[in-house]
Amino acid sequence: MIQEITLTDTLPHVFRGMEKTAPVCNSQVWLHEVSFRRPGYYMIEAESGTGKSSLCSFIFGVRGDYQGTVAFDGRDVRTFSIDEWCALRTRALAYLPQEMHLFPELTVMENIMIKNRLTDCRSGEWIRRALERLEIEGKADSPAALLSVGQQQRVAIVRALCQPFDFLLIDEPVSHLDSRNNSIVASLIDEEAQANGAAVIATSVGNKINLPIQSTLLL
């Protein structure tokens, strides 16, 4: 279980030498100490190219090209073993990347079940209800490649929620959704975050998810 994520003097390697220029000098995250505690809702506002996807990747442990520290409950994530990361990613840390990473040749349900078989978290009935709630239940047996980008985004959201989590990282989760679907997605995420007593860290360039954000930081 993770209670707190803390970044201390963190900076992507690509921004080395730019400490006194934009975007680094305007950031409230890079080269600062920033903590995210559960439960809570956090928004990272970012312009394109300021490192929002990098930030999520650093926290999720799939990239290490940064200076400074990312720590979970005071422990530097660089010290975690592969087994520890596997446990964290199935029981404590959920992630919806901007790219979504769906398998185009697999159906909607097959894409979701790849994740759910690893976590054994959701019943088939829960998944069907979630798809119905997001108004894509009719696409359950369709290949992901045949879906619109907005529909794919909703599938990826259901897949991301197929695990228990202390923190949910969502990178531009509603970038391809209209205001109505934004609200539907936000309601589902809010419900699951509250059920887990979790924190949500969302990034946005423009279209912000309709969650009850408690703290906003400029990246």
Side-chain angles (χ1 to χ4, degrees):
M1 181 177 291
I2 307 170
Q3 297 292 345
E4 182 178 44
I5 296 175
T6 303
L7 281 68
T8 305
D9 295 327
T10 309
L11 184 71
H13 287 169
V14 70
F15 291 150
R16 282 176 174 172
M18 301 173 61
E19 290 82 354
K20 295 183 180 180
T21 61
V24 179
C25 66
N26 297 324
S27 176
Q28 296 175 314
V29 176
W30 303 135
L31 297 179
H32 291 274
E33 181 166 303
V34 177
S35 292
F36 306 98
R37 300 177 181 87
R38 60 186 291 257
Y41 294 87
Y42 301 89
M43 176 63 67
I44 307 295
E45 290 188 1
E47 296 181 2
S48 181
T50 57
K52 60 179 180 53
S53 295
S54 298
L55 174 65
C56 292
S57 295
F58 298 160
I59 293 174
F60 200 61
V62 293
R63 284 178 53 187
D65 53 321
Y66 62 89
Q67 66 186 51
T69 304
V70 177
F72 295 171
D73 296 331
R75 183 179 171 191
D76 190 333
V77 301
R78 295 183 191 274
T79 69
F80 293 160
S81 67
I82 292 175
D83 286 344
E84 286 175 309
W85 272 119
C86 289
L88 285 169
R89 290 172 186 154
T90 54
R91 298 297 169 190
L93 197 61
Y95 180 28
L96 173 65
Q98 183 182 0
E99 298 83 0
M100 296 179 281
H101 299 313
L102 297 178
F103 294 96
E105 71 279 9
L106 299 184
T107 68
V108 165
M109 189 60 75
E110 288 169 340
N111 268 282
I112 294 170
M113 289 305 298
I114 287 175
K115 170 75 171 286
N116 199 55
R117 278 193 291 269
L118 292 174
T119 63
D120 194 28
C121 178
R122 303 295 189 183
S123 67
E125 179 61 25
W126 184 94
I127 294 171
R128 293 282 180 179
R129 288 200 310 269
L131 293 175
E132 181 178 3
R133 187 167 172 178
L134 300 186
E135 300 179 350
I136 49 174
E137 73 278 10
K139 302 294 184 181
D141 298 318
S142 297
L146 300 183
L147 273 58
S148 70
V149 178
Q151 290 170 334
Q152 290 179 25
Q153 195 162 47
R154 281 174 276 171
V155 173
I157 287 165
V158 174
R159 183 187 58 186
L161 294 174
C162 283
Q163 68 169 90
F165 57 90
D166 301 323
F167 284 83
L168 172 63
L169 308 172
I170 45 178
D171 190 7
E172 290 201 68
V174 294
S175 57
H176 300 286
L177 303 183
D178 58 24
S179 60
R180 179 173 173 276
N181 281 303
N182 182 327
S183 295
I184 294 171
V185 164
S187 177
L188 177 61
I189 289 174
D190 184 32
E191 182 179 297
E192 294 303 320
Q194 290 192 46
N196 284 274
V200 178
I201 304 174
T203 73
S204 176
V205 171
N207 193 16
K208 300 176 185 177
I209 189 168
N210 293 332
L211 288 171
I213 301 298
Q214 297 162 317
S215 180
T216 300
L217 296 169
L218 177 66
L219 190 60

